[in-house]
Amino acid sequence: MTTTERFGAAKELYAKLGVDAEKAVETLKNIPISMHCWQGDDVTGFDHEGPLTGGIQTTGNYPGKARTPEELMADIDKVLSLVPGKHKLNLHANYAIFEDGEFADRDALEPKHFRKWVEFAKERGMGLDFNPTIFSHDMVKDNLSLSHPDKEVRDFWIRHCQACIRISQYFAEELGQPCVMNIWIPDGYKDIPADRMAPRARFKDSLDQILSIPYDKEKVLVCLESKVFGIGMESYTVGSSEFTINYAASRGILPLMDNGHYHPTEVVSDKISSMLLFFDQIALHVTRPVRWDSDHVVLFDDETKEIAKEIVRNNALDRVKFGLDFFDASINRIAAWTIGMRNFQKALLYALLSPNEKLAALQEEGRLTEVLMLQEEVKTYPFGDVWDYFCESNGVPVREDWYEEVKKYEDEVLSKRG
Ligand code: RNT
Ligand code: ZN
C-alpha cells in the first residue's frame, strides 16, 4: 500500500472517533516550532573563547560541531530539509556575526551584528526569536548577573538586555512577524543563602530598567524563564518560578516554562491550563530532563504528548509560544536536532488526532471509566500512517529514511571538520 492509501484507511478509522485527520495534517503544516540554533555547536556561539558557564552543561564530544556561522547555517539547512513544515529560528545573542574584524561586547550589540541571520531567515521565509546571553562571559561574577550586588555588573547586563530588545524589534520589523525574546539568568547560590530577598529585589529592579526603554510590545514578546536549580546553584535561584510568574503577570510580559526546570515529579503539562487562565500568552521551552536539567533530545514520550495536548485541546496554538531547548554533544548533532523537531511535531499531531471533544464530554458526564478506556485505545490507532503522509506530502523523508541523508552529510561534510 502507498503512503496515501494507508492515510486513507487511517482517516476512516479516525473519522469514526469524530476526528478529521485531513484537518489535523493541514493544521500541523502551519504550526511553527521555534528551533534553537544552539544544538548545532553545544551553545558555544561566535563571540568568545572558553567554556559554557552559568550552571548549564553540554556533555560529549561527537565530531563535526559547527565552528563558524557558515557551518552552523549549513547544518540548520540540513535539519530543515528533514523536518516537515515551516519553522522559526531561535538565536542567542552570542551568535552575533562580526564582519571585517570588528567586535562588540554583549552590552554594545547592535542589529547590524545579526544582519546575516536576518538575510538567512528572509531567504527561507522564516521568523526569528531571540535571547540575551547571560552566561559564558566574565561579567557574570560569582554566578550573579542582573541580581549582582555590584551596580556595574547589573548595569552591564541591563545594557545587554536592552540591546537585545532593539535587536528583537529589528528582527520583527525585517521579517514581518513578532520576535519572542526570552530572558534567562543563571543567578543563584550553591549553598543556603543568608538573604534570599535582596538578590530578587535587585533582579526585579534590573528587569524594570530593561523594560523601561521604548519598544513595540506587539513586535517584541519579552519572556522571563524560571529555574529551580543549576549546577553550582543547587540551593537557590534568583529567578524562581514564583518570581517569574509574579513578575510577568505584574508587568505584562510572558512567563516561560522550561520543562527541565522543575522538581522531578512536577510536570509542565499540568501547569499550562492554569497559566492560560491568567495570561494572554505564555512561552515554553520543550526539553527532556533525565534526573536533572540535562537537556536531552526531546522524545515522543508521554509528557511531551501531554504538553502538546494541553496546547491543542485548549485552542491555544496561537497563545503558546513554543521553542525547543536541548543540547546533546554526544551524538550526531544534526540527527539530535532532527529527532527533537520531528518528535515535537509528532506530539502535536498526536494531540490533533485525539478525540479531545469526546473525551472532555465523557469527563463532564462523569464517565471516567470510558475516558480511561478511550485514551488507551487511541494509543494504537494508526497514528504512524498519518505521520508518514504528513512527511511525504510536505516533501521530507518518510520514517527513518531521513537518517540516510544525515549519514551522507556526516561523511561528506561533518567528518571533514577539524
Ligand atoms: C538554561 C535555560 C536556558 C538555556 C538556553 C541556552 O537552563 O534552559 O533556556 O538552555 O538559553
Ligand atoms: Zn530553557
Side-chain angles (χ1 to χ4, degrees):
M1 264 210 272
T2 64
T3 306
T4 310
E5 284 164 353
R6 283 194 286 117
F7 173 67
K11 200 165 73 174
E12 278 176 33
L13 272 179
Y14 279 107
K16 286 195 190 140
L17 281 180
V19 172
D20 183 343
E22 204 83 65
K23 195 170 148 214
V25 295
E26 205 38 51
T27 305
L28 186 63
K29 199 167 93 185
N30 297 312
I31 305 179
I33 299 174
S34 186
M35 186 172 103
H36 57 312
C37 75
W38 52 93
Q39 164 59 49
D41 72 339
D42 315 339
V43 210
T44 306
F46 310 121
D47 73 344
H48 70 284
E49 304 275 322
L52 177 61
T53 62
I56 54 177
Q57 193 139 58
T58 52
T59 50
N61 55 356
Y62 196 87
K65 161 178 166 169
R67 298 157 304 175
T68 62
E70 294 69 32
E71 289 180 353
L72 188 61
M73 286 174 181
D75 292 358
I76 290 168
D77 271 336
K78 186 43 63 183
V79 176
L80 293 174
S81 75
L82 304 172
V83 174
K86 234 193 179 42
H87 302 287
K88 280 184 107 179
L89 181 64
N90 197 4
L91 292 175
H92 239 286
N94 59 327
Y95 289 79
I97 302 177
F98 301 113
E99 297 175 80
D100 310 319
E102 181 206 10
F103 177 75
D105 206 349
R106 302 250 173 101
D107 65 333
L109 287 171
E110 293 176 49
K112 67 174 182 189
H113 301 124
F114 293 87
R115 186 182 62 81
K116 286 204 171 160
W117 284 114
V118 166
E119 266 170 32
F120 178 86
K122 260 189 199 162
E123 281 162 13
R124 287 150 188 82
M126 299 174 87
L128 289 176
D129 292 327
F130 202 46
N131 304 260
T133 307
I134 312 178
F135 51 80
S136 304
H137 192 285
D138 58 14
M139 278 303 272
V140 176
K141 293 190 188 294
D142 314 313
N143 292 332
L144 300 171
S145 62
L146 287 170
S147 74
H148 200 287
D150 184 349
K151 184 171 182 301
E152 206 188 311
V153 175
R154 295 199 303 280
D155 284 348
F156 177 88
W157 292 111
I158 289 169
R159 287 194 301 276
H160 174 56
C161 291
Q162 291 173 335
C164 288
I165 290 180
R166 289 190 287 270
I167 294 162
S168 298
Q169 186 154 331
Y170 156 72
F171 288 171
E173 283 166 0
E174 288 290 321
L175 301 165
Q177 48 178 302
C179 172
V180 175
M181 190 196 96
N182 175 48
I183 301 174
W184 170 70
I185 59 163
D187 301 32
Y189 286 105
K190 181 182 177 74
D191 224 325
I192 303 160
D195 181 354
R196 290 183 169 87
M197 182 70 97
R200 286 183 175 142
R202 286 191 292 265
F203 185 32
K204 181 178 171 206
D205 177 68
S206 295
L207 289 167
D208 283 347
Q209 290 189 53
I210 292 164
L211 298 177
S212 73
I213 62 165
Y215 71 95
D216 186 335
K217 297 198 168 64
E218 302 284 313
K219 292 179 181 161
V220 183
L221 306 178
V222 176
C223 310
L224 189 60
E225 180 177 10
S226 67
K227 188 163 175 175
V228 69
F229 87 103
I231 301 172
M233 284 145 280
E234 287 84 359
S235 301
Y236 167 86
T237 54
V238 179
S240 62
S241 177
E242 295 71 18
F243 181 98
T244 59
I245 295 172
N246 283 302
Y247 187 87
S250 61
R251 301 303 193 269
I253 64 166
L254 286 68
L256 186 145
M257 299 187 290
D258 176 313
N259 61 304
H261 291 190
Y262 296 88
H263 293 284
T265 59
E266 234 182 317
V267 282
V268 163
S269 55
D270 185 59
K271 300 176 189 293
I272 293 172
S273 50
S274 300
M275 300 297 270
L276 285 174
L277 286 172
F278 295 96
F279 285 91
D280 287 340
Q281 298 187 98
I282 62 167
L284 299 179
H285 271 181
V286 180
T287 187
R288 178 166 53 109
V290 180
R291 305 192 191 282
W292 66 288
D293 181 33
S294 59
D295 291 289
H296 278 65
V297 177
V298 167
L299 299 185
F300 182 48
D301 58 9
D302 285 351
E303 174 57 3
T304 310
K305 282 182 204 155
E306 212 57 29
I307 287 173
K309 280 193 226 165
E310 287 298 316
I311 301 170
V312 167
R313 65 193 178 193
N314 292 316
N315 291 320
L317 278 164
D318 53 348
R319 294 173 61 200
V320 182
K321 308 290 160 195
F322 37 85
L324 304 185
D325 182 15
F326 54 81
F327 24 96
D328 192 334
S330 74
I331 56 176
N332 181 302
R333 292 172 186 79
I334 315 284
W337 246 332
T338 307
I339 293 167
M341 284 291 283
R342 287 174 67 113
N343 278 342
F344 195 55
Q345 280 185 301
K346 284 182 210 158
L348 289 165
L349 181 61
Y350 189 84
L352 290 164
L353 289 172
S354 296
N356 297 316
E357 279 164 29
K358 195 176 200 143
L359 285 163
L362 289 172
Q363 178 180 312
E364 290 296 282
E365 290 166 28
R367 293 155 66 181
L368 302 182
T369 310
E370 283 163 84
V371 171
L372 176 64
M373 177 281 294
L374 191 54
Q375 279 178 335
E376 289 307 298
E377 288 304 326
V378 166
K379 288 182 179 172
T380 51
Y381 267 60
F383 167 81
D385 293 341
V386 183
W387 170 247
D388 290 352
Y389 174 76
F390 180 67
C391 290
E392 188 172 280
S393 57
N394 281 277
V396 305
V398 175
R399 292 183 179 251
E400 64 272 24
D401 285 0
W402 62 266
Y403 187 69
E404 277 308 304
E405 296 284 321
V406 173
K407 206 53 209 119
K408 196 162 152 254
Y409 190 71
E410 174 159 272
D411 293 344
E412 291 170 5
V413 180
L414 301 181
S415 67
K416 309 255 156 51
R417 293 179 187 167

